[in-house]
Amino acid sequence: MKDTFIKENFLLSNKTAEILYHDHAAKQPIIDYHCHLPPDEIASNKKFENITQVWLNGDHYKWRAMRTNGVDEKYITGDSTDKEKFMKWAETVPYTIKNPLYHWTHMELKRPFGISDKLLNADTAEEIWKKTGELLATDEFSTQGIIRQWNVEIICTTDDPVDSLEYHKKIKENPFGTKVLPAFRPDKAMAVENTTEFLKYLAKLEEASGVSVSSFDNFLEAIRKRHDYFHENGCRLSDHGLESAYAEDYTESEIKSIFKKLLNKENLDHTEILKFKSAMMYEFGVMDWEKGWVQQLHLGALRNNNTRMFRQLGPDTGWDSIGDFEMARPLAKYLDKLDTENKLTKTILYNLNPADNELFATMIGNFQDGTVPGKMQYGSAWWFLDQKSGMERQIDALSNMGLLSRFVGMLTDSRSFLSYSRHDYFRRLLCDILGREIEAGLIPNDLELVGKMVEDISYNNAKNYFDFGQ
């Protein structure tokens, strides 16, 4: 079979990069420490009926492109057939040239499907639909089969504190070679902008924790019980998806009074909302420090901008964008409060606004304390930045302001089982950057030295950083 686009040395622009990739990066296992894969589909070893189900369902990256290309919503999230949706995506793909979707689409067709002799378009769609459908019916293309094909060692899903983790338990009882662990995502426990929705969530928390909540102290007790439960089930990371860090000054009595207002079904004013979020961020940070977890802060998304479509489809359906929130001052204040009390745990910071690259890369240096190599991490390029130029800029910022050699590397941050090609994409770009600088004389031509660095960033650093008990 002859490659027409995604060739063996795709993204590798020089011989040194090829050596670094093929000899040092390509065969490293994957530690996917942040993703949104549904654990129930892993536990059941689900097989997908067709490529739409594994590729298009839930993928708001593709949905945005289809809308931009003039595709009616019925072929995106509507009631058209899976095949009709795929055909509309195939018609859209040629128009995605220069968008990262064009790379990802053809990388995912090549691996795991082995389709590299044709580009996806309206003319090839029928053949690709048929071939992928045949493969998806086989055991190698079940959820666990795809994970095994990519040599994934550890997966960390994203889970709410009220989740039962029943599917994580089932996976542990029926192991298939990959650890699947939960990650603690307590955003709803601090989402007090809407009192009614918060109280609905509080009822779920009471049921999950077995704690009757009539005060802020009870609330913390319930949260802590769930934190303990997650730890007992292998969780070693938390994750927060926030506009910015919250670090308002507050007193204990203020927070107790604010919580009482919530219980009385009263709406909070803007200042009270910020104070409550700040208190909860601190409490979550302390809990993570006590257990030696890694906390992840995903900062900068302006979410649910289209009210009409949010009402129709709900969150995470393609209506979010990059925000321009204040970052440096509140983030520094939050981290400093924990650090002052010697309660700052290992932390990964992710920015969504590329204007904040150097801000985040320098922020981590403020709180490195010599206890752990790379204790404070500037996380991989995220969401809208998760593409060639975004990754390159993140690598450059980290290299200039910190230690790239201590970076814990890539993650998928995806809902799709086909997204493991993002690890390969990142590794190729990393090797190309280092290869170009070696050939330009900016880095020593020592392939043992730089090859070890590539292996560390691809795998070893994450293995050593996270306490997964490998």
Side-chain angles (χ1 to χ4, degrees):
M1 184 177 288
K2 183 180 180 181
D3 290 344
T4 59
F5 179 45
I6 306 296
K7 298 178 173 63
E8 182 183 25
N9 293 321
F10 176 63
L11 297 177
L12 306 174
S13 63
N14 57 80
K15 291 297 181 182
T16 305
E18 293 173 12
I19 294 170
L20 289 173
Y21 173 74
H22 293 294
D23 292 356
H24 297 279
K27 296 180 182 179
Q28 296 298 321
I30 288 174
I31 294 179
D32 195 25
Y33 56 88
H34 174 69
C35 74
H36 298 274
L37 292 178
D40 59 322
E41 293 184 359
I42 303 175
S44 65
N45 199 19
K46 179 177 178 177
K47 287 184 178 179
F48 299 93
E49 295 177 12
N50 55 64
I51 191 171
T52 296
Q53 293 182 7
V54 68
W55 215 24
L56 293 175
N57 290 358
D59 191 338
H60 51 78
Y61 290 83
K62 294 186 179 71
W63 295 352
R64 285 170 71 101
M66 293 169 75
R67 291 169 186 140
T68 303
N69 201 43
V71 175
D72 190 277
E73 194 67 28
K74 71 177 181 178
Y75 297 109
I76 302 172
T77 60
D79 59 2
S80 59
T81 66
D82 286 348
K83 187 170 184 179
E84 288 172 331
K85 290 177 179 178
F86 174 76
M87 294 300 173
K88 288 297 183 182
W89 169 240
E91 292 173 13
T92 298
V93 168
Y95 295 94
T96 67
I97 288 177
K98 277 290 287 176
N99 184 290
L101 285 165
Y102 199 78
H103 283 172
W104 294 347
T105 293
H106 292 97
M107 289 183 76
E108 290 167 11
L109 286 176
K110 180 171 182 177
R111 186 175 179 193
F113 293 108
I115 299 172
S116 60
D117 61 340
K118 53 183 60 66
L119 302 175
L120 179 58
N121 53 49
D123 294 332
T124 61
E126 183 68 38
E127 183 181 353
I128 289 174
W129 169 266
K130 182 178 179 181
K131 180 170 182 178
T132 55
E134 291 171 351
L135 291 171
L136 286 166
T138 68
D139 291 342
E140 284 189 333
F141 285 81
S142 66
T143 55
Q144 294 180 14
I146 293 170
I147 291 168
R148 276 192 293 261
Q149 285 194 60
W150 274 104
N151 193 20
V152 182
E153 189 172 281
I154 294 171
I155 294 171
C156 293
T157 58
T158 303
D159 309 277
D160 191 278
V162 303
D163 288 348
S164 68
L165 305 184
E166 59 182 297
Y167 298 109
H168 295 84
K169 294 178 182 179
K170 288 180 179 179
I171 295 168
K172 189 174 181 180
E173 292 167 359
N174 300 281
F176 68 99
T178 300
K179 280 189 177 182
V180 181
L181 305 174
F184 193 77
R185 179 76 172 256
D187 292 357
K188 292 181 180 178
M190 51 191 283
V192 291
E193 303 90 336
N194 185 315
T195 299
T196 300
E197 291 302 313
F198 178 77
L199 291 176
K200 290 179 182 177
Y201 180 76
L202 185 58
K204 295 178 182 178
L205 178 63
E206 287 182 314
E207 182 178 358
S209 65
V211 175
S212 178
V213 177
S214 59
S215 68
F216 182 67
D217 288 340
N218 295 151
F219 180 63
L220 287 184
E221 179 188 359
I223 291 288
R224 187 172 289 277
K225 280 200 169 187
R226 298 309 296 170
H227 200 274
D228 293 342
Y229 178 75
F230 269 58
H231 189 79
E232 292 164 4
N233 284 278
C235 179
R236 296 297 182 267
L237 296 93
S238 69
D239 179 50
H240 305 267
L242 309 171
E243 292 183 347
S244 182
Y246 296 102
E248 299 294 314
D249 294 325
Y250 61 86
T251 65
E252 184 178 340
S253 61
E254 281 181 311
I255 301 305
K256 289 182 177 180
S257 176
I258 290 169
F259 194 77
K260 187 174 182 179
K261 287 184 68 173
L262 289 168
L263 293 178
N264 290 333
K265 301 181 181 179
E266 299 177 39
N267 293 326
L268 306 181
D269 63 32
H270 182 65
T271 299
E272 290 171 327
I273 291 170
L274 293 180
K275 285 179 180 287
F276 188 83
K277 288 179 181 290
S278 300
M280 291 311 301
M281 280 297 297
Y282 170 78
E283 296 293 344
F284 290 135
V286 171
M287 290 181 203
D288 291 350
W289 170 79
E290 289 172 344
K291 292 187 175 71
W293 286 13
V294 174
Q295 67 170 345
Q296 301 176 94
L297 306 181
H298 285 84
L299 306 175
L302 185 64
R303 299 177 187 269
N304 306 320
N305 296 280
N306 188 320
T307 302
R308 176 178 59 84
M309 294 308 296
F310 175 72
R311 289 172 178 166
Q312 180 178 327
L313 300 175
D316 302 320
T317 52
W319 313 101
D320 308 323
S321 64
I322 293 171
D324 57 352
F325 311 101
E326 182 185 13
M327 288 292 170
R329 194 178 304 276
L331 180 55
K333 187 175 179 180
Y334 168 68
L335 297 173
D336 187 56
K337 181 175 182 178
L338 291 169
D339 183 76
T340 299
E341 299 179 7
N342 291 317
K343 294 179 180 179
L344 178 58
T345 195
K346 290 183 284 189
T347 301
I348 307 176
L349 306 177
Y350 307 86
N351 64 296
L352 193 56
N353 191 329
D356 296 328
N357 281 7
E358 281 72 19
L359 187 162
F360 276 54
T362 54
M363 184 64 70
I364 64 172
N366 296 331
F367 299 100
Q368 306 285 14
D369 60 14
T371 59
V372 177
K375 174 182 175 178
M376 306 296 293
Q377 289 278 329
Y378 175 31
S380 61
W382 169 48
W383 199 342
F384 295 111
L385 307 184
D386 182 10
Q387 25 76 6
K388 185 176 182 294
S389 62
M391 290 182 193
E392 290 171 339
R393 290 171 185 169
Q394 186 269 349
I395 289 170
D396 284 343
L398 178 56
S399 299
N400 288 328
M401 311 298 176
L403 298 181
L404 176 63
S405 57
R406 289 298 187 181
F407 181 36
V408 294
M410 192 54 181
L411 44 80
T412 61
D413 189 27
S414 174
R415 293 165 175 79
S416 172
F417 288 89
L418 300 183
S419 290
Y420 286 108
S421 59
R422 294 185 188 180
H423 284 263
D424 188 49
Y425 198 64
F426 168 81
R427 292 175 182 184
R428 289 172 180 270
L429 286 171
L430 173 67
C431 292
D432 187 61
I433 291 169
L434 295 174
R436 281 189 274 116
E437 296 205 2
I438 287 175
E439 297 204 354
L442 299 173
I443 294 176
N445 189 7
D446 184 336
L447 293 182
E448 182 178 350
L449 173 67
V450 183
K452 173 65 163 54
M453 179 180 176
V454 168
E455 292 172 8
D456 287 344
I457 296 170
S458 299
Y459 172 70
N460 294 323
N461 288 347
K463 182 177 181 179
N464 295 328
Y465 186 76
F466 300 104
D467 180 23
F468 294 137
Q470 297 98 320

